[in-house]
Amino acid sequence: MEGLGLESDELALRRLLHQSVQEIEPADGTLEHLRRAVPARRARKRQAVVGMAAAALFIGTAIPALVHVSNSSGSDADPSIAGHGTHTQGSTQGKSGGGGQASSGDTSDKSKEKDKDDKKETPGKGKGESSGATGGVQPTPSAANTPACTAAQLSNAATVGSADAGGAVYGTFRISNVSGVSCTVTSAGSVTAAPQGAADASKIQVVQHTAGDAATGLPDPSTELASMILQPGTAYQVQFAWVPSETCPTTPDDPSSPQPTPTAPTTGGDSGGTSSEGTSGTAPQLATEGGVQDGSVVVSNTAEGGGPTASANVSNACAGTVYKTGVLAGQ
């Protein structure tokens, strides 16, 4: 002991310590426990490192994918990404749990509790991400699942205004859902123009309204809807404009028409009567001479699904173009 270079009091303390522990013996199975616990602890450390690397890789790939899906209009992209993320995390946690079961004692119990807590938190995050990503595209499936409107569900009413300074006339068809269930409208239906009186069918056409055309009073085509869910009691509109290209013709001044009138009395041999009857016969014709002939155009709309139909009469219309819009939100 003297060779250790210790002082006398240090040697005395060393002897006391040896005496206090010389009767202590390890419990049964301690060596076996150490043989199992040390490799298990090393395995858990390796798995923790692998798990952290896998989590970093998952986060690096999941964030760009979620950004891409959030900008996508498809409804099937989000669930697949959310499921992939849940599966990856579950696989990593399962391995970690397996390592924990191989150990015993307090360290093993704490590892199991930690794995259980992680498993509880991970599915919750996966569900939140899936529901958040798909929440923005719910209106599209609902529109697709709503049946098309039928003629029995709709009513149609037409209104027409007065001609403006240029002779253009604007009108509106208002189509309402009079049923108790929602339906989908994907078309403005058909718009036709029927000539009446002196109107010339060859000089009347119906065209779709476009930006910059002559129907400047119609809404911009960008406001038209490709489809619309029509709730009960709501309506959509189809507007039109009549833009004349010519005025209605006037009664022609035919110089041959007065001649038969004086010749008829001539057979009676009374020249005075001829003059009198000739004057009386040309008077009605002179009243209409130079007058505008009566012509009009009936603009009709038949809603999608074959009905109902509403009509608007545009008076003093004989030649021109009917500009029609698509589906517009009701007002």
Side-chain angles (χ1 to χ4, degrees), residues 78-142:
D78 294 336
S80 64
I81 290 178
H84 177 71
T86 304
H87 175 72
T88 302
Q89 293 180 357
S91 302
T92 304
Q93 293 168 356
K95 293 179 182 178
S96 177
Q101 292 176 358
S103 63
S104 60
D106 296 339
T107 304
S108 176
D109 294 338
K110 292 180 181 179
S111 177
K112 292 180 181 179
E113 292 176 359
K114 183 179 179 180
D115 291 341
K116 290 180 181 179
D117 293 338
D118 292 341
K119 290 180 180 179
K120 290 179 180 178
E121 294 175 0
T122 302
K125 293 180 180 178
K127 292 179 181 179
E129 292 172 358
S130 176
S131 61
T134 57
V137 296
Q138 289 179 356
T140 300
S142 63

Side-chain angles (χ1 to χ4, degrees), residues 23 45 77 91 95 147-148 150 156 160 172 177 183 213 227 238 247 249 277 283 308 310 313 330-331:
E23 296 181 357
K45 290 181 178 180
S91 302
K95 293 179 182 178
T150 62
N156 199 341
V160 62
T172 302
N177 182 359
C183 60
D213 60 20
S227 64
V238 178
T247 59
E277 290 179 7
N313 184 69
Q331 297 179 352

Side-chain angles (χ1 to χ4, degrees), residues 272-301:
T274 301
S275 174
S276 174
E277 290 179 7
T279 303
S280 62
T282 58
Q285 186 174 2
L286 292 174
T288 58
E289 208 170 79
V292 178
Q293 295 185 27
D294 186 16
S296 62
V297 174
V298 177
V299 182
S300 301
N301 169 259

Side-chain angles (χ1 to χ4, degrees), residues 148-171:
C149 296
T150 62
Q153 293 179 277
L154 304 176
S155 67
N156 199 341
T159 57
V160 62
S162 303
D164 61 14
V169 177
Y170 293 88

Side-chain angles (χ1 to χ4, degrees), residues 49-86:
V49 173
V50 173
M52 292 175 63
L57 178 62
F58 171 73
I59 293 174
T61 56
I63 291 177
L66 289 175
V67 173
H68 172 72
V69 171
S70 65
N71 295 329
S72 174
S73 59
S75 59
D76 296 332
D78 294 336
S80 64
I81 290 178
H84 177 71
T86 304

